[in-house]
Amino acid sequence: MQYNNNNNNHNTTKNTYNYPFRVMTLNVQGLNSNFKQQQIINMINSDHISVMGLSETKLKSNQARFAFKRYNDFSFYFNNDSTSINGSGVGLILPKTYSKYVQKSNGYKGRIIYVDLFMQGHKKLRIIQLYL
């Protein structure tokens, strides 16, 4: 919001938006398309999502390393089943403002992934994405 004080000749910009911590989960039914990856990033930005959980990514481990590669404002965590990619694969997307607090991430057979965040003030938070 712009404020114009007529008593002096300068503008002061004040950000009045204060977004809550938002967590969203999405079954993407495959994540090989760059267009789909762009849509997810656009959704995160437009809806001010703090953590995005993804299920059914259908990515192989080597593909997951390159997914979302061009988006530097986020960190990506994936877990994939090495035996069968169909109907499996989970991931978490966090903006860099939160990913700096990630102390550990782990997953199991492309069905579960979690990240442990150690926040300021000795607060701990575990975020879990589960695909059944």
Side-chain angles (χ1 to χ4, degrees), residues 66-89:
F66 298 105
F68 296 99
K69 195 67 170 176
R70 62 182 186 195
Y71 304 102
N72 297 324
D73 294 337
F74 300 92
S75 292
F76 307 91
Y77 304 88
F78 292 98
N79 185 267
N80 309 289
D81 187 352
S82 59
T83 60
S84 174
I85 62 168
N86 288 330
S88 71

PDB file of all heavy atoms in Angstrom, residues 66-89:
ATOM      1  N   PHE A  66      16.689 -33.602 -11.315  1.00  0.00           N
ATOM      2  CA  PHE A  66      16.609 -32.501 -12.273  1.00  0.00           C
ATOM      3  C   PHE A  66      15.245 -31.820 -12.318  1.00  0.00           C
ATOM      4  O   PHE A  66      15.066 -30.828 -13.006  1.00  0.00           O
ATOM      5  CB  PHE A  66      16.999 -32.997 -13.664  1.00  0.00           C
ATOM      6  CG  PHE A  66      18.410 -33.492 -13.716  1.00  0.00           C
ATOM      7  CD1 PHE A  66      18.681 -34.849 -13.761  1.00  0.00           C
ATOM      8  CD2 PHE A  66      19.465 -32.604 -13.668  1.00  0.00           C
ATOM      9  CE1 PHE A  66      19.990 -35.301 -13.792  1.00  0.00           C
ATOM     10  CE2 PHE A  66      20.771 -33.043 -13.699  1.00  0.00           C
ATOM     11  CZ  PHE A  66      21.042 -34.401 -13.763  1.00  0.00           C
ATOM     12  N   ALA A  67      14.280 -32.341 -11.584  1.00  0.00           N
ATOM     13  CA  ALA A  67      12.957 -31.714 -11.533  1.00  0.00           C
ATOM     14  C   ALA A  67      13.063 -30.353 -10.851  1.00  0.00           C
ATOM     15  O   ALA A  67      13.780 -30.198  -9.868  1.00  0.00           O
ATOM     16  CB  ALA A  67      11.975 -32.606 -10.790  1.00  0.00           C
ATOM     17  N   PHE A  68      12.413 -29.380 -11.373  1.00  0.00           N
ATOM     18  CA  PHE A  68      12.380 -28.016 -10.824  1.00  0.00           C
ATOM     19  C   PHE A  68      13.775 -27.380 -10.774  1.00  0.00           C
ATOM     20  O   PHE A  68      14.020 -26.478  -9.990  1.00  0.00           O
ATOM     21  CB  PHE A  68      11.777 -27.997  -9.409  1.00  0.00           C
ATOM     22  CG  PHE A  68      10.337 -28.418  -9.351  1.00  0.00           C
ATOM     23  CD1 PHE A  68       9.991 -29.707  -8.983  1.00  0.00           C
ATOM     24  CD2 PHE A  68       9.331 -27.509  -9.647  1.00  0.00           C
ATOM     25  CE1 PHE A  68       8.665 -30.093  -8.905  1.00  0.00           C
ATOM     26  CE2 PHE A  68       7.995 -27.881  -9.571  1.00  0.00           C
ATOM     27  CZ  PHE A  68       7.663 -29.170  -9.205  1.00  0.00           C
ATOM     28  N   LYS A  69      14.686 -27.824 -11.594  1.00  0.00           N
ATOM     29  CA  LYS A  69      16.085 -27.377 -11.520  1.00  0.00           C
ATOM     30  C   LYS A  69      16.229 -25.862 -11.705  1.00  0.00           C
ATOM     31  O   LYS A  69      17.119 -25.253 -11.129  1.00  0.00           O
ATOM     32  CB  LYS A  69      16.903 -28.122 -12.575  1.00  0.00           C
ATOM     33  CG  LYS A  69      18.369 -28.037 -12.377  1.00  0.00           C
ATOM     34  CD  LYS A  69      18.781 -28.781 -11.127  1.00  0.00           C
ATOM     35  CE  LYS A  69      20.278 -28.896 -11.056  1.00  0.00           C
ATOM     36  NZ  LYS A  69      20.729 -29.505  -9.839  1.00  0.00           N
ATOM     37  N   ARG A  70      15.361 -25.253 -12.466  1.00  0.00           N
ATOM     38  CA  ARG A  70      15.530 -23.824 -12.769  1.00  0.00           C
ATOM     39  C   ARG A  70      14.889 -22.876 -11.746  1.00  0.00           C
ATOM     40  O   ARG A  70      14.916 -21.673 -11.911  1.00  0.00           O
ATOM     41  CB  ARG A  70      15.010 -23.525 -14.162  1.00  0.00           C
ATOM     42  CG  ARG A  70      13.542 -23.790 -14.324  1.00  0.00           C
ATOM     43  CD  ARG A  70      13.105 -23.527 -15.732  1.00  0.00           C
ATOM     44  NE  ARG A  70      11.673 -23.644 -15.825  1.00  0.00           N
ATOM     45  CZ  ARG A  70      11.025 -23.751 -16.948  1.00  0.00           C
ATOM     46  NH1 ARG A  70      11.668 -23.747 -18.068  1.00  0.00           N
ATOM     47  NH2 ARG A  70       9.722 -23.856 -16.947  1.00  0.00           N
ATOM     48  N   TYR A  71      14.319 -23.425 -10.680  1.00  0.00           N
ATOM     49  CA  TYR A  71      13.650 -22.605  -9.679  1.00  0.00           C
ATOM     50  C   TYR A  71      14.526 -22.490  -8.438  1.00  0.00           C
ATOM     51  O   TYR A  71      14.499 -23.339  -7.558  1.00  0.00           O
ATOM     52  CB  TYR A  71      12.272 -23.181  -9.345  1.00  0.00           C
ATOM     53  CG  TYR A  71      11.413 -23.322 -10.578  1.00  0.00           C
ATOM     54  CD1 TYR A  71      11.231 -24.561 -11.179  1.00  0.00           C
ATOM     55  CD2 TYR A  71      10.827 -22.210 -11.158  1.00  0.00           C
ATOM     56  CE1 TYR A  71      10.467 -24.689 -12.322  1.00  0.00           C
ATOM     57  CE2 TYR A  71      10.057 -22.329 -12.300  1.00  0.00           C
ATOM     58  CZ  TYR A  71       9.879 -23.566 -12.881  1.00  0.00           C
ATOM     59  OH  TYR A  71       9.134 -23.678 -14.011  1.00  0.00           O
ATOM     60  N   ASN A  72      15.300 -21.427  -8.359  1.00  0.00           N
ATOM     61  CA  ASN A  72      16.302 -21.268  -7.302  1.00  0.00           C
ATOM     62  C   ASN A  72      15.743 -20.745  -5.988  1.00  0.00           C
ATOM     63  O   ASN A  72      16.442 -20.767  -4.985  1.00  0.00           O
ATOM     64  CB  ASN A  72      17.416 -20.331  -7.786  1.00  0.00           C
ATOM     65  CG  ASN A  72      18.148 -20.911  -8.970  1.00  0.00           C
ATOM     66  OD1 ASN A  72      18.345 -22.116  -9.058  1.00  0.00           O
ATOM     67  ND2 ASN A  72      18.534 -20.056  -9.905  1.00  0.00           N
ATOM     68  N   ASP A  73      14.501 -20.291  -5.973  1.00  0.00           N
ATOM     69  CA  ASP A  73      13.915 -19.742  -4.742  1.00  0.00           C
ATOM     70  C   ASP A  73      13.327 -20.820  -3.840  1.00  0.00           C
ATOM     71  O   ASP A  73      12.786 -20.512  -2.783  1.00  0.00           O
ATOM     72  CB  ASP A  73      12.825 -18.721  -5.084  1.00  0.00           C
ATOM     73  CG  ASP A  73      13.388 -17.489  -5.761  1.00  0.00           C
ATOM     74  OD1 ASP A  73      14.587 -17.208  -5.579  1.00  0.00           O
ATOM     75  OD2 ASP A  73      12.634 -16.813  -6.481  1.00  0.00           O
ATOM     76  N   PHE A  74      13.425 -22.076  -4.267  1.00  0.00           N
ATOM     77  CA  PHE A  74      12.819 -23.176  -3.534  1.00  0.00           C
ATOM     78  C   PHE A  74      13.821 -24.310  -3.346  1.00  0.00           C
ATOM     79  O   PHE A  74      14.787 -24.434  -4.086  1.00  0.00           O
ATOM     80  CB  PHE A  74      11.607 -23.735  -4.292  1.00  0.00           C
ATOM     81  CG  PHE A  74      10.527 -22.728  -4.512  1.00  0.00           C
ATOM     82  CD1 PHE A  74      10.488 -21.961  -5.659  1.00  0.00           C
ATOM     83  CD2 PHE A  74       9.528 -22.538  -3.569  1.00  0.00           C
ATOM     84  CE1 PHE A  74       9.490 -21.025  -5.864  1.00  0.00           C
ATOM     85  CE2 PHE A  74       8.529 -21.608  -3.762  1.00  0.00           C
ATOM     86  CZ  PHE A  74       8.510 -20.849  -4.915  1.00  0.00           C
ATOM     87  N   SER A  75      13.541 -25.144  -2.355  1.00  0.00           N
ATOM     88  CA  SER A  75      14.269 -26.400  -2.171  1.00  0.00           C
ATOM     89  C   SER A  75      13.282 -27.535  -2.378  1.00  0.00           C
ATOM     90  O   SER A  75      12.108 -27.436  -1.991  1.00  0.00           O
ATOM     91  CB  SER A  75      14.877 -26.484  -0.777  1.00  0.00           C
ATOM     92  OG  SER A  75      15.898 -25.533  -0.627  1.00  0.00           O
ATOM     93  N   PHE A  76      13.781 -28.634  -2.967  1.00  0.00           N
ATOM     94  CA  PHE A  76      12.934 -29.753  -3.349  1.00  0.00           C
ATOM     95  C   PHE A  76      13.467 -31.033  -2.727  1.00  0.00           C
ATOM     96  O   PHE A  76      14.664 -31.294  -2.764  1.00  0.00           O
ATOM     97  CB  PHE A  76      12.899 -29.880  -4.874  1.00  0.00           C
ATOM     98  CG  PHE A  76      12.513 -28.596  -5.544  1.00  0.00           C
ATOM     99  CD1 PHE A  76      13.485 -27.686  -5.935  1.00  0.00           C
ATOM    100  CD2 PHE A  76      11.198 -28.286  -5.755  1.00  0.00           C
ATOM    101  CE1 PHE A  76      13.134 -26.492  -6.528  1.00  0.00           C
ATOM    102  CE2 PHE A  76      10.832 -27.098  -6.359  1.00  0.00           C
ATOM    103  CZ  PHE A  76      11.806 -26.196  -6.743  1.00  0.00           C
ATOM    104  N   TYR A  77      12.560 -31.813  -2.165  1.00  0.00           N
ATOM    105  CA  TYR A  77      12.906 -33.072  -1.523  1.00  0.00           C
ATOM    106  C   TYR A  77      12.013 -34.149  -2.120  1.00  0.00           C
ATOM    107  O   TYR A  77      10.791 -34.001  -2.136  1.00  0.00           O
ATOM    108  CB  TYR A  77      12.692 -32.979  -0.013  1.00  0.00           C
ATOM    109  CG  TYR A  77      13.458 -31.833   0.614  1.00  0.00           C
ATOM    110  CD1 TYR A  77      12.897 -30.565   0.684  1.00  0.00           C
ATOM    111  CD2 TYR A  77      14.752 -32.020   1.103  1.00  0.00           C
ATOM    112  CE1 TYR A  77      13.605 -29.509   1.239  1.00  0.00           C
ATOM    113  CE2 TYR A  77      15.460 -30.968   1.664  1.00  0.00           C
ATOM    114  CZ  TYR A  77      14.879 -29.718   1.723  1.00  0.00           C
ATOM    115  OH  TYR A  77      15.586 -28.662   2.268  1.00  0.00           O
ATOM    116  N   PHE A  78      12.626 -35.222  -2.646  1.00  0.00           N
ATOM    117  CA  PHE A  78      11.866 -36.287  -3.283  1.00  0.00           C
ATOM    118  C   PHE A  78      12.268 -37.639  -2.716  1.00  0.00           C
ATOM    119  O   PHE A  78      13.412 -37.840  -2.299  1.00  0.00           O
ATOM    120  CB  PHE A  78      12.106 -36.304  -4.795  1.00  0.00           C
ATOM    121  CG  PHE A  78      11.546 -35.124  -5.511  1.00  0.00           C
ATOM    122  CD1 PHE A  78      12.353 -34.052  -5.848  1.00  0.00           C
ATOM    123  CD2 PHE A  78      10.209 -35.074  -5.845  1.00  0.00           C
ATOM    124  CE1 PHE A  78      11.828 -32.958  -6.507  1.00  0.00           C
ATOM    125  CE2 PHE A  78       9.679 -33.990  -6.507  1.00  0.00           C
ATOM    126  CZ  PHE A  78      10.491 -32.924  -6.843  1.00  0.00           C
ATOM    127  N   ASN A  79      11.303 -38.565  -2.735  1.00  0.00           N
ATOM    128  CA  ASN A  79      11.573 -39.949  -2.431  1.00  0.00           C
ATOM    129  C   ASN A  79      10.816 -40.779  -3.450  1.00  0.00           C
ATOM    130  O   ASN A  79       9.633 -40.537  -3.697  1.00  0.00           O
ATOM    131  CB  ASN A  79      11.144 -40.319  -1.006  1.00  0.00           C
ATOM    132  CG  ASN A  79      11.547 -41.727  -0.659  1.00  0.00           C
ATOM    133  OD1 ASN A  79      10.766 -42.653  -0.835  1.00  0.00           O
ATOM    134  ND2 ASN A  79      12.769 -41.897  -0.192  1.00  0.00           N
ATOM    135  N   ASN A  80      11.526 -41.745  -4.063  1.00  0.00           N
ATOM    136  CA  ASN A  80      10.955 -42.519  -5.153  1.00  0.00           C
ATOM    137  C   ASN A  80      11.208 -44.000  -4.927  1.00  0.00           C
ATOM    138  O   ASN A  80      12.216 -44.383  -4.342  1.00  0.00           O
ATOM    139  CB  ASN A  80      11.592 -42.085  -6.476  1.00  0.00           C
ATOM    140  CG  ASN A  80      11.542 -40.589  -6.639  1.00  0.00           C
ATOM    141  OD1 ASN A  80      10.487 -40.033  -6.856  1.00  0.00           O
ATOM    142  ND2 ASN A  80      12.675 -39.919  -6.499  1.00  0.00           N
ATOM    143  N   ASP A  81      10.303 -44.814  -5.434  1.00  0.00           N
ATOM    144  CA  ASP A  81      10.468 -46.263  -5.376  1.00  0.00           C
ATOM    145  C   ASP A  81      11.326 -46.681  -6.567  1.00  0.00           C
ATOM    146  O   ASP A  81      10.979 -46.421  -7.710  1.00  0.00           O
ATOM    147  CB  ASP A  81       9.099 -46.943  -5.432  1.00  0.00           C
ATOM    148  CG  ASP A  81       9.174 -48.432  -5.204  1.00  0.00           C
ATOM    149  OD1 ASP A  81      10.300 -48.981  -5.151  1.00  0.00           O
ATOM    150  OD2 ASP A  81       8.113 -49.058  -5.090  1.00  0.00           O
ATOM    151  N   SER A  82      12.445 -47.318  -6.294  1.00  0.00           N
ATOM    152  CA  SER A  82      13.369 -47.685  -7.365  1.00  0.00           C
ATOM    153  C   SER A  82      12.880 -48.879  -8.185  1.00  0.00           C
ATOM    154  O   SER A  82      13.332 -49.098  -9.294  1.00  0.00           O
ATOM    155  CB  SER A  82      14.750 -47.982  -6.792  1.00  0.00           C
ATOM    156  OG  SER A  82      14.663 -49.038  -5.866  1.00  0.00           O
ATOM    157  N   THR A  83      11.933 -49.643  -7.666  1.00  0.00           N
ATOM    158  CA  THR A  83      11.467 -50.822  -8.393  1.00  0.00           C
ATOM    159  C   THR A  83      10.321 -50.519  -9.344  1.00  0.00           C
ATOM    160  O   THR A  83      10.208 -51.129 -10.398  1.00  0.00           O
ATOM    161  CB  THR A  83      11.025 -51.924  -7.414  1.00  0.00           C
ATOM    162  OG1 THR A  83       9.967 -51.436  -6.590  1.00  0.00           O
ATOM    163  CG2 THR A  83      12.188 -52.373  -6.543  1.00  0.00           C
ATOM    164  N   SER A  84       9.455 -49.584  -8.992  1.00  0.00           N
ATOM    165  CA  SER A  84       8.322 -49.240  -9.849  1.00  0.00           C
ATOM    166  C   SER A  84       7.936 -47.784  -9.628  1.00  0.00           C
ATOM    167  O   SER A  84       7.589 -47.400  -8.522  1.00  0.00           O
ATOM    168  CB  SER A  84       7.128 -50.144  -9.544  1.00  0.00           C
ATOM    169  OG  SER A  84       5.996 -49.709 -10.269  1.00  0.00           O
ATOM    170  N   ILE A  85       7.983 -46.992 -10.704  1.00  0.00           N
ATOM    171  CA  ILE A  85       7.633 -45.575 -10.557  1.00  0.00           C
ATOM    172  C   ILE A  85       6.135 -45.326 -10.673  1.00  0.00           C
ATOM    173  O   ILE A  85       5.639 -44.312 -10.214  1.00  0.00           O
ATOM    174  CB  ILE A  85       8.382 -44.699 -11.586  1.00  0.00           C
ATOM    175  CG1 ILE A  85       8.002 -45.087 -13.017  1.00  0.00           C
ATOM    176  CG2 ILE A  85       9.863 -44.750 -11.352  1.00  0.00           C
ATOM    177  CD1 ILE A  85       8.464 -44.113 -14.063  1.00  0.00           C
ATOM    178  N   ASN A  86       5.407 -46.277 -11.281  1.00  0.00           N
ATOM    179  CA  ASN A  86       3.964 -46.075 -11.446  1.00  0.00           C
ATOM    180  C   ASN A  86       3.262 -46.103 -10.102  1.00  0.00           C
ATOM    181  O   ASN A  86       3.459 -47.002  -9.299  1.00  0.00           O
ATOM    182  CB  ASN A  86       3.375 -47.137 -12.371  1.00  0.00           C
ATOM    183  CG  ASN A  86       3.786 -46.909 -13.799  1.00  0.00           C
ATOM    184  OD1 ASN A  86       4.013 -45.772 -14.208  1.00  0.00           O
ATOM    185  ND2 ASN A  86       3.897 -47.968 -14.569  1.00  0.00           N
ATOM    186  N   GLY A  87       2.442 -45.092  -9.861  1.00  0.00           N
ATOM    187  CA  GLY A  87       1.669 -45.017  -8.625  1.00  0.00           C
ATOM    188  C   GLY A  87       2.519 -44.766  -7.399  1.00  0.00           C
ATOM    189  O   GLY A  87       2.123 -45.125  -6.295  1.00  0.00           O
ATOM    190  N   SER A  88       3.685 -44.161  -7.575  1.00  0.00           N
ATOM    191  CA  SER A  88       4.519 -43.877  -6.408  1.00  0.00           C
ATOM    192  C   SER A  88       5.294 -42.578  -6.623  1.00  0.00           C
ATOM    193  O   SER A  88       5.235 -41.968  -7.675  1.00  0.00           O
ATOM    194  CB  SER A  88       5.492 -45.026  -6.133  1.00  0.00           C
ATOM    195  OG  SER A  88       6.500 -45.074  -7.116  1.00  0.00           O
ATOM    196  N   GLY A  89       6.015 -42.199  -5.602  1.00  0.00           N
ATOM    197  CA  GLY A  89       6.816 -40.985  -5.644  1.00  0.00           C
ATOM    198  C   GLY A  89       6.156 -39.878  -4.855  1.00  0.00           C
ATOM    199  O   GLY A  89       4.975 -39.572  -5.043  1.00  0.00           O
TER     200      GLY A  89
END
